[in-house]
Amino acid sequence: MPRSFRSRLTLLFGLLMLTVVTALSLQLGGMLGRQQVRERGDAIRGIAEGVAMMLGEGVHERMRELEMLARSPEASRPGLDPLAWRIEIERIKTGRPYYAWIGVTDIGGTVASASDGLLVGQDVSSHPWFRGAVRGSYVGDVHRAEPLARMLPAPAGGEPLRFLDFATPLRTPADTVKGVLGAHVDWRWARDIIARLRSSDARDAGVLVYILDARGAMLHHPAGPEAAERVAAGEVPSATPAMQSWTDGRRYLTVGAPVVAHPGRPGPGWTVVVRQPAELALHGATAAQRTVWLWGAAALAVAMLLGWLTAGRLSRPLRAISEAAVRIEAGDRGTAIPLAFGSSELEQLSRSLAAMTRRLVDRERKLQVSNVRLEARVAERTADLARVNDELARANRHLERMAHEDSLTGLRNRRSADQLLQRQLGQHRRHGRPLGLLLADIDHFKRINDTHGHAEGDQVLRAVAQCLRGMLREGDHAARFGGEEFIVVLPETGAEGAACVAERIRVAVAALDLPGVGRCTLSLGGAVAEAGNGSPEDLLQRADAALYRAKGDGRNRVAMADDGMLATPE
């Protein structure tokens, strides 16, 4: 963004004019847009309602023609005369080009007579139009009749044949149903209605017509890429014209009109949808907005030119003050702020700035002296803070060791051992690898304390801990579990391996000769985690039971859970 006073004042003039032009354009465009939506909406709604009315009347006329034919003298005869019916059918079909097929069936659903002799002798009792007409007049929905379509000539353009079914019962003088009169109307009848009602101007304006069935499925659509398009929200448009987004990502002025059934007639449930591209529907409003913008651009250029010239006269004394301030900032303390004349405000501003500059220069000198002193104090305090931080870090490391390490033996403490066992059991459950656990207890430790004193007892604990560290492999873990009891966690170790490690430990401890105490022995109990399950408490309980058994059988022994004694003293 420009930073000079002159540029900003010019930009301000331009923004003010741009705001006025934009407001006028939006107001005019919105007003004209709403007017055009109403006008174009009325036009396309007229097309939609006209097509819907013609379709409704057409359905009524086709149904009435069949019902009149069903009440003809030929229909009142007791039986079905195929030849007489063929003459009547051909007469009707010749005058009505949209009839693709007309036929008469007996009460069993066999075609007795039909136009062009098509389907004669075939059973149509399973067709919806036959079943519906047995109960009364029937109007079906648009569909493909594959057997009949293969017998009729293919339409131009390669479009598949689709038909609309009409049927009514044939009754005897006693008012009993003796057969069904049915007709298939070519769906191109609807396309011709649309072509007659959509003018060339509407086609040039991009107006397209769609027909939806009662479920919202497409019955009629324009040829080309528009065939696959739908209203984006998936809803049937209402009778009020509105701008709606379609699946091609564009917005269209859209309106819907239901095809209303004639009173007393079954209705097809169709909806006629007419749309026009938004840019074509709002063409007049867009052109008006463009004109406003062109005139606004010219006014904007004039306003900015006047702003530039006006700002130039106002900014010259300010520029001189600004240049002097830049030299002072660069270190030229001898530069004075020039006095500006021309307006009382500028003169007062320049005098105030000159006085303020002198005071600031004096204060800067004093501040430099204060800064030198302050920097020395900051450096001294920073060194003190660094020393305090080092002491805190050492204290934190010491506390961390105290939280996880037994102070007497240097092994893990009970809390650390519990956490370790929990982690190892988790790995055992995830990967299925074996995990061994040993519980060791110094035999007659209370007697050692009572006979030799607690100092010698502590010596025994440290010696046993040192022996455990020396006998374990890399990856094994030992911890003081409480009092004279130790725990050994053996990852990747099964029952046989755990027993071997326990025996080596027992032999190594038994070989110790401690000054003032002599020899001491160790009893060990071991257990192995079961495959894929088990808790720390369960594993400890099994190892403790094995240790209890080793104690009960004479001490200085190794026992494994559920395996009996594995070693005895020499």
Side-chain angles (χ1 to χ4, degrees), residues 320-321 323-325 327-328 332-339 354 357-358:
I321 295 174
E323 292 172 353
R327 290 195 295 273
I328 294 172
D332 186 0
R333 299 296 185 262
T335 301
I337 297 294
L339 295 180
T357 302
R358 289 193 295 271

Side-chain angles (χ1 to χ4, degrees), residues 121-447:
Q122 295 192 21
D123 184 5
V124 294
S125 60
S126 61
H127 292 201
W129 60 268
F130 175 83
R131 296 199 304 269
V134 171
R135 296 187 294 271
S137 294
Y138 171 85
V139 178
D141 217 336
V142 180
H143 68 96
R144 294 184 183 181
E146 295 297 339
L148 183 60
R150 288 194 294 268
M151 300 176 185
L152 295 173
E159 180 182 0
L161 282 171
R162 293 189 295 167
F163 305 104
L164 181 64
D165 295 339
F166 295 86
T168 189
L170 297 176
R171 300 183 182 275
T172 65
D175 201 28
T176 59
V177 177
K178 66 177 180 178
V180 169
L181 173 62
H184 292 326
V185 175
D186 193 336
W187 181 240
R188 284 177 292 177
W189 156 69
R191 187 181 297 276
D192 291 346
I193 290 176
I194 294 171
R196 289 200 302 272
L197 293 180
R198 190 175 61 139
S199 65
S200 59
D201 291 341
R203 286 193 295 272
D204 295 340
V207 175
L208 297 179
V209 181
Y210 298 78
I211 302 177
L212 309 180
D213 66 10
R215 299 183 300 275
M218 193 71 71
L219 295 179
H220 167 80
H221 55 75
E226 295 86 2
E229 295 171 6
R230 301 287 189 278
V231 177
E235 300 176 356
V236 176
S238 67
T240 302
M243 288 295 177
Q244 288 185 278
S245 296
W246 285 55
T247 52
D248 62 352
R250 299 174 61 191
R251 290 178 60 79
Y252 296 85
L253 181 61
T254 309
V255 66
V259 177
V260 181
H262 197 273
R265 297 289 186 192
W270 303 336
T271 301
V272 178
V273 178
V274 181
R275 78 173 199 189
Q276 183 181 22
E279 61 271 15
L280 296 179
L282 301 176
H283 176 71
T286 305
Q289 276 188 313
R290 189 179 301 111
T291 302
V292 172
W293 276 111
L294 289 175
W295 282 102
L300 177 63
V302 172
M304 293 186 72
L305 178 61
L306 292 176
W308 177 263
L309 296 175
T310 303
R313 293 190 60 187
L314 294 175
S315 64
R316 275 193 291 272
L318 292 176
R319 190 181 305 114
I321 295 174
S322 175
E323 292 172 353
V326 170
R327 290 195 295 273
I328 294 172
E329 182 184 11
D332 186 0
R333 299 296 185 262
T335 301
I337 297 294
L339 295 180
F341 301 97
S343 69
S344 59
E345 291 85 357
L346 279 175
E347 183 177 354
Q348 182 179 358
L349 175 63
S350 60
R351 291 183 185 278
S352 299
L353 286 176
M356 182 180 64
T357 302
R358 289 193 295 271
R359 288 195 299 271
L360 288 176
V361 170
D362 292 339
R363 290 179 182 177
E364 183 182 10
R365 296 192 185 97
K366 296 177 182 178
L367 185 60
Q368 289 176 349
V369 176
S370 299
N371 284 341
V372 171
R373 295 174 182 172
L374 182 59
E375 288 174 359
R377 294 185 63 185
V378 169
E380 181 182 350
R381 295 297 176 84
T382 302
D384 293 341
L385 184 60
R387 287 194 296 272
V388 171
N389 286 337
D390 290 341
E391 292 174 0
L392 285 175
R394 287 194 296 271
N396 285 335
R397 289 193 294 271
H398 179 67
L399 288 174
E400 182 68 19
R401 285 197 302 274
M402 290 178 64
H404 295 87
E405 184 179 291
D406 179 58
S407 60
L408 178 63
T409 62
L411 298 178
R412 293 174 181 264
N413 58 17
R414 172 66 178 268
R415 176 184 176 187
S416 178
D418 289 339
Q419 295 173 351
L420 171 68
L421 184 57
Q422 186 72 41
R423 288 197 304 271
Q424 292 296 332
L425 271 174
Q427 294 182 7
H428 160 72
R429 281 191 289 268
R430 284 193 299 272
H431 305 296
R433 296 168 182 166
L435 176 65
L437 178 70
L438 300 177
L439 277 179
D441 188 84
I442 301 175
D443 296 327
H444 302 298
F445 185 72
K446 185 176 183 304
R447 185 186 304 168

Side-chain angles (χ1 to χ4, degrees), residues 44 46 108 324 400 562:
I44 66 172
E400 182 68 19
D562 305 324

